[in-house]
Structures are given as C-alpha cells and as structure tokens.
Amino acid sequence: MSFNKLSASFYRRDDVVEVARDLLGKVLCSHIGGHLTKAIITETEAYAGMGDRASHAYAGRRTARTEPMYLEGGIAYVYLCYGIHHLCNVVTGERDDPQAVLLRAGEPLAGLDEMRSRRGKASAGNKLLAGPGSLSQALGIRTRLSGVSLLGDRLWVEDQGFSVADHEFVIGPRIGVDYAGDDAARPYRFLLTRFAH
DNA sequence: CGAATGATATACT
DNA sequence: GTATATCATTCGA
C-alpha cells in the first residue's frame, strides 16, 4: 500500500547520526489494532552504540531488552521508561553494531481521531505527539512491538517527499541523558525549527 | 515542582 | 532467588 516505504538500505548505513538527520520530515506509520496512523517525524536523537555512554548498549551491554539493537538495521526497539512511557527507536547499522534513533516527536498526518482516542485527556492542542512517550502512545506503539521489522506492515516509515533543508532544523544535545557524562553533550538531537518547543 | 508507575539491571543472599 | 535503585518522561497542581 505504501510505494514509498523506506527500505533496508536507508537504515543499514554506518552513521546513525546521519540516519537521525534524514528521518526528519519522514513519515512514521503504524497499522495497529485495525487503525492506520501516520505522523511526520519532527524530532530525533541518535544513540551511537557501544561507545556512547547514553546508549543502553554502552560498552556492549546486551540483555533481553536491548537485544533488538544488536540486530540488523530496519527494526524497532521499544522499551518502557519510567514505568509509564513506551519509547520508540529505529535500529540502524549492521548486525552486532547496536545503534538506534529515538523518535521524540511528530506532527499528525493521518488517523487523528484514533490518536486523540489513545492519548485521552491530554490530547489537546499541539501536544498530541509532543515527546517520545506521547508519540508512541498516539501511534499505539508498545514494548510488544520491540523487535518487529520496519519493512513489514505493522510499523514502518515512509518518504512522502517532505524535504528538509539544512536551515530548517537545529542540532543540540540530547534530552534526559545527564547520567552519560561527557557523552551527554554530543550534538545528536535533531529538531525541525518550525516545531521547536 | 513533584508524583506516578513498573520493567529492568545489578547487587546481593 | 530476592531486594532495591534507576530510568532516553508526562501531567497536573
């Protein structure tokens, strides 16, 4: 149904930072519980694998939770944070190179009613997909989807031709990674200027 | 500004 | 096996 679904080669590049930048303006799509929802990706963060203290895979840490990150690029890594929020990542790079891009925010494109329904009370205004927990909740993404292929028909990313020029986004340090020491300062966060908040 | 909320990792016995 | 601290956040007071 989607002619423009991103293919494996998009995800399997060496440089996760490049993928994080390129995901801006792409469209995150889910077909879950019989509902199709789509959102333009407006904020991403790169997690650069074993050498990145902010990453769950730092120093090669490998557990049942993080196992998807060690698989070949092009699958989802979803985990529960603060006991409440399901955070959605796109795994990149080759097998055994655990890099991933956290999807932090989006702009609604399709399935608005279902998004609002899933978000409940807090779905008002422009906060529908603002923040990684909210984005996942609106698209119905749960930890159950961790490890699923992004080339399948439940969760994927499309290129609908929204181009993002260099002056249309800003780069900054990642959010909520103070525990990562010097790595917390890495310029790995990408945010479309228009949706900065 | 602080509570919510539970899986997960790690350090024990 | 059991205990405990931590967490890539969000919402409402």
Side-chain angles (χ1 to χ4, degrees):
Chain A
M1 218 16 133
S2 51
F3 298 94
N4 34 23
K5 184 183 296 183
L6 296 183
S7 61
S9 59
F10 179 91
Y11 303 105
R12 288 177 197 167
R13 287 176 281 170
D14 300 335
D15 187 0
V16 64
V17 179
E18 192 177 293
V19 178
R21 182 254 177 268
D22 287 349
L23 278 169
L24 290 178
K26 299 295 190 293
V27 179
L28 177 65
C29 310
S30 73
H31 189 195
I32 291 165
H35 297 279
L36 182 65
T37 50
K38 302 191 178 194
I40 304 170
I41 297 169
T42 63
E43 182 180 351
T44 63
E45 281 177 1
Y47 286 83
M50 306 200 241
D52 180 1
R53 203 157 137 53
S55 172
H56 291 164
Y58 174 61
R61 263 179 64 238
R62 188 164 189 155
T63 66
R65 177 179 67 154
T66 62
E67 193 61 26
M69 282 209 285
Y70 287 84
L71 299 178
E72 212 164 24
I75 64 172
Y77 167 50
V78 186
Y79 70 94
L80 190 66
C81 189
Y82 294 106
I84 306 171
H85 306 106
H86 300 253
L87 270 52
C88 177
N89 297 252
V90 162
V91 175
T92 73
E94 296 300 325
R95 191 176 194 81
D96 294 324
D97 183 10
Q99 313 188 84
V101 176
L102 172 66
L103 305 179
R104 291 192 57 90
E107 192 63 15
L109 195 63
L112 280 269
D113 289 341
E114 181 60 20
M115 288 181 183
R116 276 189 281 265
S117 165
R118 285 173 178 149
R119 293 276 292 124
K121 286 180 84 168
S123 68
N126 60 349
K127 298 224 186 269
L128 191 56
L129 308 178
S134 304
L135 176 65
S136 296
Q137 185 180 38
L139 296 222
I141 299 168
R142 324 274 315 255
T143 55
R144 163 153 293 183
L145 283 178
S146 197
V148 306
S149 174
L150 297 174
L151 312 177
D153 58 8
R154 281 186 283 174
L155 186 62
W156 67 96
V157 183
E158 293 176 359
D159 185 346
Q160 295 201 7
F162 302 114
S163 66
V164 174
D166 286 346
H167 67 276
E168 292 177 297
F169 66 91
V170 292
I171 304 176
R174 293 169 291 186
I175 303 296
V177 294
D178 296 343
Y179 59 86
D182 293 341
D183 290 338
R186 292 196 192 196
Y188 282 180
R189 177 175 181 235
F190 296 83
L191 175 61
L192 286 184
T193 314
R194 181 187 156 207
F195 300 107
H197 43 266

